[in-house]
Amino acid sequence: MANGWAPFIGLIVLAVFCAVVWFAAPKGENQTVWRSTLVLSAVAMYIMWAITLLAQLHPLISPIRAHLRPEHETPR
Amino acid sequence: MAPPKDTMFRSADMSLTQLYIANEIGREVVSALGELGVMDFRDLNSETTAFQRTFTQEIRRLDNVERQLRYFRSQMEKADIPMRSIYDFNNPFTSPSASEIDRVADDSQDLENKISSLNESYETLKKREVELTEWRWVLREAGGFFDRARGQTEEIRQSVDDDDAPLLQDVEQHGQGEADRSLSVMNIGFVAGVIPRERIAAFERILWRTLRGNLYMNQSEIPEPIINPVDNEEVNKNVFIIFAHGKEIIAKIRKISESLGADLYSVDENSELRRDQIREVNTRLNDLSSVLGNTKRALDAELTVIGRNLAAWMVLVKKEKATYQTLNKFSYDHQRKTLIAEAWAPTNSLGLIKSTLRDVNDRAGLSVPTIVNQIKTTKTPPTYFKTNRFTLAFQTIVDAYGTIKYREINPALPAIVTFPFLFAVMFGDFGHGVILLLAALAMIYYEKKLQRSKLDELFSMIFYGRYIVFMMGIFSMYTGLLYCDVFSKEIPLFKSMWVWDDGKEPGSGPGPTSHRVEGYTYPFGLDWRWHDTENDLLFSNSYKMKLSILLGWCHMTFSLMWSLVNALYFKTPVDIWGNFVPGMIFFQSIFGYLSFTIVYKWCIDWAARGQNPPSLLNMLIYMFLQPGTLENPDEPLYKGQAAVQVILLLMALVCVPVLLFLKPFYLRYEHNKARALGYRGIGETQRVSALDDDDDEGRTLNGNGARESFGDDEDGVAMITEDIGHGEEHEEFEFSEIMIHQVIHTIEFCLNCVSHTASYLRLWALSLAHQRLSIVLWEMTMVNAFGQTGIKGAIIMVVVFYGWFMMTVAVLCVMEGTSAMLHSLRLHWVEAMSKHFMGDGVNFEPFSFKSLLEEEPVE
């Protein structure tokens, strides 16, 4: 799985979405509000998703189980 | 050529218009404009007092009508008659005509007279009724007194006759007492009446002292309270009767009792006559109560009729009064019999204004048209954003910080997203987000109903921001998914990237550790396997801290870009080269670089390289303290790291003097060039000429209010050109002032780059706190309840669940939500808006009936 590429694929999806929103936003006096709100939301959501993904791309630590029953506890 | 459409991005394009209105239709025109609500009239008579203005008479008259209407309202409240709500009228917002107003004024005058006379007679009757009731009580109680008193006449007489009579004498004489001996024969008089119960003690004491005990007093309580007709208060009263000897003493008693607020009533000592009196009082009371009932019914009927129209009248009068108050701002040209008004209006609404004025003219059948002039001016136009239900609350957030400068970028537009989003970063929990969203949806669904009902302060605030809550809910659900938290539990959407070690795989022993699924990264959000692990805090701490630095960097860069857009729009290149560019380079070379290294470090597979990743925090510290050397020279983040960091640091340092000196020196250069060419500021030249003129003249010309005496200007022609000579834009060029300003700006900017980046760490702190708190709540309530079984367990489960849910809503949603909201507010006001916000605008306050009625609603 080409995980490293996922943010870039996401970026393309984002760009397509923004373009669609830009042209599909309802006409009228609220067009600006529609465009800015939807585009900014998409960008903000994308940024946070990408950051979360990147943070786990090459994690330096791995989870250690808690709340094990005593018989499964092994000395570490 | 139509002006560009007004959007929320910049405030609406405004123009200063002058209206010439024929005197006859002044009222109609203003009232029609009030319905439109797009014109902000300037006060052209600011130097005249309220009493000197043209339409003071009309306003007084309307004040009087308003007072009468308020009187009706208070009477209706007293009589518990409901008023027809303003929302029940088909169209409460129609413009009133002059005859309608006159009719309302006349009607309310008549009605006031009628109601006040009805009220008066009602009150007199009520008073009479109270008197009669009191009298009846006195008569009834007095009978008992007399009977008791008669038995004791002998004693009284003896004690009066001779003081030295033996004490036992009365026992001997007892049998022969003349039972029917009347009191008057013995010259014993009496006073009977009613007195409030709390005064009785004082009354007795005073009587005893003044008469030295020469009296015989009897009293009894009236069991039911007497109602005072004036203020409708209940008073407990006592009936008293006092016997005493001698006319003077009786007169004294009368005086004392009257001064203490007692009401005296005549009572006959003859029991026959007394009975007649009682009978008479009873018949009179009956008559009175029937009359009273009739009066009350008439009054109620009158008030009910008024109540049907009162709300509409109130609206009508309020509108009319506002119309005249606006007319008072106009100046009147006596020669041409026209009213002259000046108003700011959105350029886009001018067409609408003109057609409205034409309509009014046609309706009045007037040949003289109303003229609308656009004037060029150097005055700052007011800032006006057309908002709707959705954008209003966001605009209010920004306006609360400061009034946006005319045509400046409106920070409210991006805030529609960034404000709830930053909130959600701190409030990330899918479940809590759902609660917020549902609450917001409910408020939006019942919008109309809630708008009309009276809400308490806290709830009305939440209701005002219902669309903000709506956005917050959506984004909180999203961030909750990313954080993988729903009420503190995990959301296993996809296959985890971690597998627990069970000892079967080669190279790993059995135990609590885990290993990664090769080449697979959890595609959306945090891996749910981190939940309930020993080291989840270790991981989420580092993740959320970096997340908040990166988001802060994005937000600040985004905000800084707006200052470029502003400078381009206002055509001030010096702001680009003197402020934006050096500022941006300074910010990016330090914190942009930090953000880059964070992402870079994530992207490198350090384990595959067999290298220990360097600490970014230490890297930043070393970058400043020992430029050119690394903490660990053998293990750099990338090749040539030291050199890059030195270059970046130098770039940042070079930017500081540019930021400091470029703008002020450029401005001085411009100023000197202009002066060399012979241009001078208007204020300057006048100061020079003021030396020749007398002082007074010079001051008026020099001051900013050169336009003040407009209203007195008899010459109409001069008015068109009035707007020249408005000196408020021409500020004196003072180099030192600009320099100081820029020094402050530079220091502030550089320090703020550091402190603001650190300030975004609140995103990390609050989101961690929120998550921890919800985990603790879950463990302290629900986990314990799961431990129970059987019927008892079921009952405990239900109780605990409700407790948990209440706590979730109250503590996690309301309290935590408020705190996250405030932090997000601060991030916008301080961290983001300081990067580009100019402020110092003037608010647009149009004359509008709609907003008038919103401010002072007619209930």
Side-chain angles (χ1 to χ4, degrees):
Chain A
M1 229 171 149
N3 266 315
W5 291 105
F8 296 100
I9 297 165
L11 199 62
I12 293 167
V13 173
L14 176 76
V16 170
F17 175 81
C18 289
V20 169
V21 162
W22 188 265
F23 293 106
K27 301 263 183 305
E29 60 181 8
N30 290 326
Q31 194 179 26
T32 314
V33 177
W34 275 109
R35 280 178 176 170
S36 108
T37 305
L38 289 177
V39 168
L40 259 180
S41 306
V43 170
M45 286 163 136
Y46 165 77
I47 288 175
M48 197 159 155
W49 166 77
I51 289 171
T52 313
L53 187 94
L54 287 173
Q56 296 179 95
L57 207 53
H58 302 291
L60 297 171
I61 55 170
S62 55
I64 295 169
R65 219 168 190 174
H67 307 303
L68 280 182
R69 287 191 183 143
E71 59 263 33
H72 293 289
E73 202 82 68
T74 49
R76 263 176 283 152
Chain B
M1 190 191 74
K5 243 186 340 177
D6 291 333
T7 62
M8 212 188 150
F9 189 50
R10 291 180 198 285
S11 65
D13 189 35
M14 304 299 259
S15 33
L16 186 63
T17 54
Q18 223 173 19
L19 303 179
Y20 291 82
I21 308 161
N23 196 21
E24 296 89 341
I25 57 165
R27 200 197 71 88
E28 283 75 14
V29 165
V30 172
S31 139
L33 290 175
E35 297 294 340
L36 273 187
V38 289
M39 294 193 102
D40 186 355
F41 290 100
R42 300 181 56 219
D43 194 355
L44 300 183
N45 308 315
S46 50
E47 84 283 8
T48 47
T49 61
F51 302 107
Q52 294 169 330
R53 300 196 178 200
T54 326
F55 297 97
T56 315
Q57 282 301 322
E58 280 82 352
I59 290 178
R60 280 215 188 123
R61 177 167 152 248
L62 289 167
D63 273 337
N64 187 38
V65 176
E66 222 174 17
R67 181 192 56 76
Q68 286 164 343
L69 295 181
R70 272 201 305 272
Y71 171 70
F72 298 153
R73 184 90 189 93
S74 68
Q75 288 300 320
M76 282 165 63
E77 260 162 25
K78 209 167 148 194
D80 269 338
I81 293 170
M83 186 173 79
R84 187 149 70 123
S85 161
I86 192 73
Y87 303 111
D88 295 344
F89 291 93
N90 284 335
N91 184 10
F93 298 124
T94 46
S95 181
S97 74
S99 59
E100 240 177 305
I101 295 292
D102 287 341
R103 217 185 53 230
V104 168
D106 292 345
D107 281 1
S108 60
Q109 185 63 51
D110 289 351
L111 285 170
E112 194 202 11
N113 291 340
K114 214 188 269 178
I115 285 188
S116 63
S117 75
L118 272 174
N119 248 332
E120 224 165 80
S121 59
Y122 183 76
E123 261 172 31
T124 348
L125 287 171
K126 203 77 193 170
K127 219 172 175 179
R128 191 86 204 99
E129 190 191 22
V130 169
E131 276 170 20
L132 283 173
T133 347
E134 283 181 1
W135 193 12
R136 192 171 59 181
W137 277 111
V138 172
L139 286 171
R140 202 178 287 169
E141 298 294 328
F145 295 150
F146 275 110
D147 296 342
R148 256 171 287 154
R150 187 156 300 133
Q152 290 160 335
T153 42
E154 227 20 64
E155 300 160 40
I156 298 168
R157 205 174 69 108
Q158 267 173 7
S159 64
V160 170
D161 284 353
D162 48 355
D163 290 337
D164 49 24
L167 284 166
L168 291 173
Q169 202 171 354
D170 59 329
V171 183
E172 295 165 21
Q173 289 182 347
H174 199 70
Q176 57 178 42
E178 297 125 299
D180 59 332
R181 178 122 63 126
S182 84
L183 288 161
S184 56
V185 175
M186 292 162 42
N187 198 13
I188 288 182
F190 63 91
V191 174
V194 171
I195 191 166
R197 193 164 297 161
E198 65 262 26
R199 299 227 184 114
I200 202 94
F203 183 50
E204 273 182 331
R205 209 173 308 129
I206 289 170
L207 281 175
W208 189 258
R209 283 184 190 155
T210 40
L211 304 179
R212 301 204 182 85
N214 286 327
L215 78 156
Y216 174 74
M217 181 172 174
N218 225 324
Q219 52 159 317
S220 74
E221 296 181 352
I222 300 177
E224 60 198 34
I226 307 273
I227 291 164
N228 185 355
V230 182
D231 47 10
N232 262 341
E233 264 179 42
E234 290 187 347
V235 186
N236 284 313
K237 289 192 172 178
N238 274 16
V239 171
F240 65 87
I241 184 159
I242 302 165
F243 300 94
H245 190 260
K247 269 194 186 134
E248 272 168 40
I249 291 180
I250 293 290
K252 225 182 227 171
I253 293 173
R254 277 181 183 279
K255 232 175 245 165
I256 289 168
S257 40
E258 267 160 14
S259 68
L260 273 170
D263 298 306
L264 301 180
Y265 295 98
S266 76
V267 181
D268 210 289
E269 57 180 273
N270 189 329
S271 60
E272 289 289 321
L273 284 175
R274 228 170 30 232
R275 214 163 296 135
D276 286 347
Q277 267 178 332
I278 288 183
R279 212 170 299 129
E280 196 196 323
V281 166
N282 274 340
T283 46
R284 269 159 77 183
L285 260 178
N286 277 341
D287 293 349
L288 205 61
S289 66
S290 73
V291 176
L292 259 176
N294 280 338
T295 319
K296 176 90 181 120
R297 261 194 298 283
L299 186 65
D300 283 359
E302 206 67 63
L303 285 175
T304 316
V305 171
I306 293 173
R308 230 171 273 157
N309 283 322
L310 189 59
W313 289 350
M314 278 174 163
V315 172
L316 218 65
V317 171
K318 209 166 255 180
K319 281 182 178 183
E320 191 69 4
K321 210 173 123 188
T323 305
Y324 280 116
Q325 268 158 0
T326 308
L327 275 169
N328 264 343
K329 291 183 178 173
F330 296 4
S331 82
Y332 181 59
D333 184 352
H334 290 281
Q335 285 174 334
R336 301 186 195 170
K337 300 241 177 304
T338 48
L339 288 164
I340 300 163
E342 266 185 38
W344 285 107
T347 314
N348 275 325
S349 307
L350 284 182
L352 189 65
I353 291 167
K354 279 176 187 161
S355 67
T356 312
L357 293 179
R358 214 175 301 129
D359 278 356
V360 175
N361 246 352
D362 291 348
R363 238 181 296 144
L366 223 65
S367 55
V368 197
T370 306
I371 300 167
V372 183
N373 257 349
Q374 266 176 274
I375 350 177
K376 283 236 174 343
T377 176
T378 52
K379 272 190 283 280
T380 341
T383 313
Y384 171 56
F385 292 101
K386 201 173 173 194
T387 50
N388 55 26
R389 278 179 307 174
F390 179 67
T391 55
L392 176 66
F394 295 101
Q395 190 67 57
T396 312
I397 288 178
V398 173
D399 286 344
Y401 183 72
T403 309
I404 298 158
K405 187 179 164 151
Y406 177 66
R407 299 299 280 169
E408 187 194 352
I409 300 284
N410 180 8
L413 187 65
I416 292 176
V417 175
T418 53
F419 179 72
F421 192 81
L422 288 183
F423 165 87
V425 172
M426 293 178 267
F427 195 76
D429 190 301
F430 187 78
H432 302 157
V434 168
I435 292 177
L436 278 197
L437 183 68
L438 288 180
L441 285 177
M443 280 191 283
I444 291 168
Y445 186 76
Y446 294 110
E447 205 166 49
K448 279 234 166 70
K449 221 164 146 193
L450 287 168
Q451 239 156 12
R452 289 175 180 192
S453 55
K454 268 206 170 137
L455 309 168
D456 64 276
E457 205 176 341
L458 188 71
F459 186 72
S460 75
M461 227 157 71
I462 299 171
F463 177 70
Y464 190 81
R466 60 199 178 278
Y467 287 98
I468 298 182
V469 179
F470 171 75
M471 295 295 279
M472 283 173 174
I474 291 178
F475 285 131
S476 301
M477 283 162 64
Y478 179 77
T479 51
L481 285 178
L482 279 182
Y483 290 157
C484 198
D485 277 328
V486 53
F487 296 121
S488 84
K489 301 316 288 175
E490 70 265 30
I491 318 169
L493 284 179
F494 302 96
K495 187 175 78 114
S496 170
M497 64 191 273
W498 301 104
V499 179
W500 299 123
D501 291 332
D502 50 8
K504 281 174 195 150
E505 278 96 11
S508 64
T513 52
S514 60
H515 63 270
R516 189 179 171 177
V517 178
E518 234 10 86
Y520 173 71
T521 308
Y522 194 69
F524 186 83
L526 276 184
D527 197 311
W528 48 270
R529 195 121 291 169
W530 282 107
H531 263 271
D532 251 352
T533 55
E534 300 236 308
N535 53 354
D536 66 332
L537 251 185
L538 214 61
F539 184 76
S540 60
N541 235 342
S542 132
Y543 156 67
K544 283 181 175 172
M545 178 160 58
K546 285 166 181 166
L547 172 79
S548 46
I549 295 278
L550 288 176
L551 285 181
W553 172 77
C554 288
H555 194 206
M556 284 191 285
T557 308
F558 178 70
S559 305
L560 205 53
M561 288 307 287
W562 289 128
S563 74
L564 172 68
V565 180
N566 269 336
L568 287 174
Y569 183 83
F570 289 113
K571 298 206 175 58
T572 48
V574 66
D575 275 329
I576 301 178
W577 300 112
N579 271 339
F580 169 72
V581 171
M584 193 58 136
I585 292 174
F586 182 86
F587 180 63
Q588 297 305 343
S589 57
I590 298 172
F591 294 100
Y593 177 65
L594 176 65
S595 304
F596 163 76
T597 49
I598 289 173
V599 175
Y600 178 80
K601 189 179 158 187
W602 277 341
C603 293
I604 301 301
D605 192 352
W606 296 98
R609 273 198 189 180
Q611 201 179 19
N612 270 333
S615 152
L616 294 182
L617 190 64
N618 289 346
M619 176 210 84
L620 201 66
I621 293 170
Y622 270 81
M623 180 170 159
F624 286 109
L625 293 186
Q626 301 171 352
T629 49
L630 298 176
E631 184 199 12
N632 235 342
D634 312 325
E635 292 187 334
L637 199 60
Y638 53 90
K639 254 188 205 158
Q641 186 194 4
V644 168
Q645 286 181 2
V646 171
I647 292 169
L648 285 173
L649 200 62
L650 283 177
M651 270 165 69
L653 284 179
V654 164
C655 284
V656 176
V658 177
L659 199 59
L660 198 57
F661 296 118
L662 183 65
K663 189 178 171 184
F665 278 94
Y666 176 78
L667 287 180
R668 194 173 76 154
Y669 163 74
E670 286 268 280
H671 176 73
N672 287 343
K673 202 170 72 175
R675 277 180 76 102
L677 288 173
Y679 291 106
R680 255 155 226 279
I682 290 172
E684 278 178 283
T685 49
Q686 266 157 3
R687 185 164 293 173
V688 174
S689 65
L691 293 173
D692 311 315
D693 294 326
D694 67 21
D695 280 349
D696 206 4
E697 181 89 0
R699 209 154 18 90
T700 356
L701 285 172
N702 215 10
N704 58 350
R707 177 66 195 60
E708 275 175 356
S709 56
F710 180 91
D712 301 333
D713 218 321
E714 291 294 311
D715 191 10
V717 184
M719 288 178 186
I720 298 174
T721 54
E722 50 76 31
D723 226 78
I724 303 173
H726 223 283
E728 64 185 40
E729 303 282 308
H730 299 281
E731 279 165 19
E732 200 77 6
F733 184 83
E734 193 81 55
F735 180 69
S736 59
E737 225 167 80
I738 291 180
M739 195 63 221
I740 289 170
H741 183 82
Q742 190 66 20
V743 168
I744 293 171
H745 174 79
T746 307
I747 295 174
E748 220 176 38
F749 183 86
C750 296
L751 291 183
N752 279 355
C753 277
V754 182
S755 71
H756 286 179
T757 308
S759 181
Y760 275 92
L761 288 175
R762 72 186 68 229
L763 295 176
W764 160 51
L766 272 130
S767 70
L768 265 187
H770 186 81
Q771 189 204 19
R772 286 293 120 184
L773 203 60
S774 66
I775 289 177
V776 166
L777 181 66
W778 179 268
E779 278 175 356
M780 287 180 68
T781 54
M782 295 300 278
V783 169
N784 293 333
F786 281 129
Q788 308 286 334
T789 50
I791 303 264
K792 189 177 131 216
I795 294 168
I796 288 176
M797 189 73 222
V798 170
V799 173
V800 168
F801 172 78
Y802 279 115
W804 170 81
F805 189 75
M806 297 297 285
M807 293 279 278
T808 299
V809 171
V811 178
L812 291 175
C813 289
V814 176
M815 265 174 59
E816 279 274 286
T818 313
S819 111
M821 200 264 303
L822 290 176
H823 280 285
S824 177
L825 198 63
R826 185 224 140 94
L827 286 179
H828 279 79
W829 278 353
V830 180
E831 274 72 27
M833 272 161 81
S834 69
K835 299 282 184 295
H836 66 96
F837 189 67
M838 292 192 262
D840 70 16
V842 187
N843 244 334
F844 180 62
E845 284 155 350
F847 168 59
S848 155
F849 289 149
K850 208 175 148 211
S851 57
L852 180 84
L853 290 171
E854 270 164 16
E855 273 161 31
E856 303 170 14
V858 173
E859 297 298 332

